[in-house]
Amino acid sequence: MTDGARHPIVSLRDVEKFYGSYHALRGISMDIGEGEFFSLLGPSGCGKTTLLRTIAGFEEVSSGHVLLDGQNMDGVAPNRRPTNMVFQSYAIFPHLSVAENVGFGLRRSGLAGDEKARAVDEALAMVGLAGYGARSAQALSGGQRQRVALARALILKPRVLLLDEPLSALDKKMREQMQSELRRLQRHVGITFILVTHDQEEALIMSDRIAVMFEGEIAQLATPQELYRRPVSREVADFIGVMNFLPAEIRMGSGTAVEADIAGLGPAAIDSAQCPGALRPGRAEVGLRPETMTILPEGAPGEGHVAQGVVAEQSYYGDMTYYVVRLDGVDQTVTLSMKNRIGRAVLEPGMPARVSWDPRALLVFSG
Amino acid sequence: MDRDARRGLLLISPTALYAIALLAAPLAAILLFSFWSQDFLEIDRTLTLKNYREALTEPLYRLLLWRSLLISLAVTVVTVLLAFPIAYFVSFHVRPGRKALWIFLITIPFWTSYLVRVFLWKVILGFNGVLNTSLIGIGVIDEPLTFILYNANAVVITLAHAFAPFAILPIFVALEKIDRSLLEASRDLGESAMSTFFRVTLPLAMPGVVAAVLIVFIPTIGDYVTPRLVGGPDGLMIANMIQTQFLRLNNAPLGAALAVVAMVMVSVVALAFIWLNRRWLGGDGR
């Protein structure tokens, strides 16, 4: 779903934000489509929350424009924007009951009392909290507070729902459950969701598209698959998932073919389409994902590209084992992951390992 | 009794003994006195409700009790209304590094004695006082204002000033405790800044406001220094009469009965406030 073809509901035009001399947002321009699940992903301090708050209206842009559904939002207060937000702390009103929290924004809706009550019940049912209305908001668990915050925002039928790291305070099990629930909910209501997260796995699982941000700039805007398979820079590749980087020497071949001599792995012919940046002969780095390499069983015939090494570390995850293998002849290690199949022994540190790898999985980043 | 309970009792016993000796015992004595009666120089120790009948029917005492209640309520309302904006300003508009300094500045009036501050108000509010001479000087008035000293207004002004820091601090603390994202959430859900104040900020600040009300109301109803110094005849309060009964008229039982009546009044008002606060906060009584 890579469409900029969808009707854009949020449009950012050269958005800049300064706090004093600190440049928090640098020339952000993008369109977010109607009904899209969009994530702003980046390390802390990259400006993703600032950008979300700019869309919500809590921060004024220093220059540039935020357009919501084609309307310029310059100087429009948060209470007059067609957006609602789920705050990181959930911001549940402690002096109100669950139902009063969920119905908070309906005061100006013009609905009659019983219509409001029905809307609140529906919203609570939608997030799986039917029957919780009379409870005190303070008696809720973290996951329940999150659901109340969602119901409170969605009851107003915003054009855009903004979520500021909504899952970061939950434990792992709860987080995974909420990830799929949020996704299902978003498909159900069809509202655009913009999620801020520092968790790349979360962004990959949930999003239609992801904008990766570094230091106030968008480093890459792509679908999860594109982002994982075709990161545009070494920085993005490093941030998304695990990526091994090895120094290499690049020689240009004929046509689209490129010759790379990779430290510890040896020579390989690769296609120039595997080089996201400008391709230059000379020193470069190649990136390899852990799951694209395997350790061959002892005595198995080594076909194709095989490198020799020794297991340096091993981490057992149950379904997978992650190995750090020190490659022979160079001071380089690679991390690779192996599925724990029946009959496949888990190797211990110090054991020799023959690493099979595939040049088609390589990415080349020219220095 | 287990070890923890015994250790707990041991820990609180100095304070508990002190409280019993200096608070509970005198209270019990006052209560007992109020049921006795004065027979010239002797105290008649037969139990009687005579003092209470007198305290509640004698027009002068009723007037003084009523006036004390009104003045205390006025002081409380004025103090809390003046304190809230100051607390709000310090909590919301002073940058975090400066808040401690502001709170420190607010407590500066405490560096001088209460008595000195009351005397200063006399100087300010007097017939030829600072206020009158300045107002005449700049031509706002021709004659000195007389309604500002030696009456109930003067008592309210003086007490409101004296108790302002006591009201500012609990309200400030309550405001500080409000998670700022709650205010953003309210804006986000469609409320203006003004309605956010009434729907979120004020309800969440209520525990501080109630604490301020109690801290101001309870001591002011029993104050006798300020009414004596700036109140004039029309500004005297029940505590002045209690003092008179004990020390001048040598009628301790009647003084005790008046004190008990005043105490009951304070308790009733205080309990009403606490009850209202619980109702507001959905019964969780924070």
Side-chain angles (χ1 to χ4, degrees), chain B residues 61-132:
Chain B
Y61 303 150
R62 291 177 64 153
L63 172 74
L64 286 175
L65 282 167
W66 182 238
R67 183 192 286 159
S68 300
L69 186 64
L70 288 184
I71 288 183
S72 301
L73 286 175
V75 169
T76 307
V77 169
V78 169
T79 310
V80 171
L81 284 183
L82 290 177
F84 198 98
I86 298 173
Y88 187 90
F89 174 81
V90 177
S91 181
F92 282 84
H93 297 290
V94 173
R95 58 189 169 83
R98 286 281 168 80
K99 285 180 182 175
L101 177 69
W102 272 80
I103 293 301
F104 171 75
L105 290 175
I106 284 165
T107 59
I108 277 188
F110 284 111
W111 294 13
T112 54
S113 132
Y114 176 55
L115 217 52
V116 172
R117 274 179 284 149
V118 178
F119 267 108
L120 282 174
W121 275 108
K122 272 177 96 147
V123 173
I124 295 168
L125 300 174
F127 190 80
N128 289 318
V130 176
L131 190 64
N132 276 329

Side-chain angles (χ1 to χ4, degrees), chain A residues 255-276:
Chain A
T256 59
V258 176
E259 274 293 315
D261 188 16
I262 306 157
L265 294 183
I270 48 182
D271 194 276
S272 62
Q274 288 166 256
C275 313

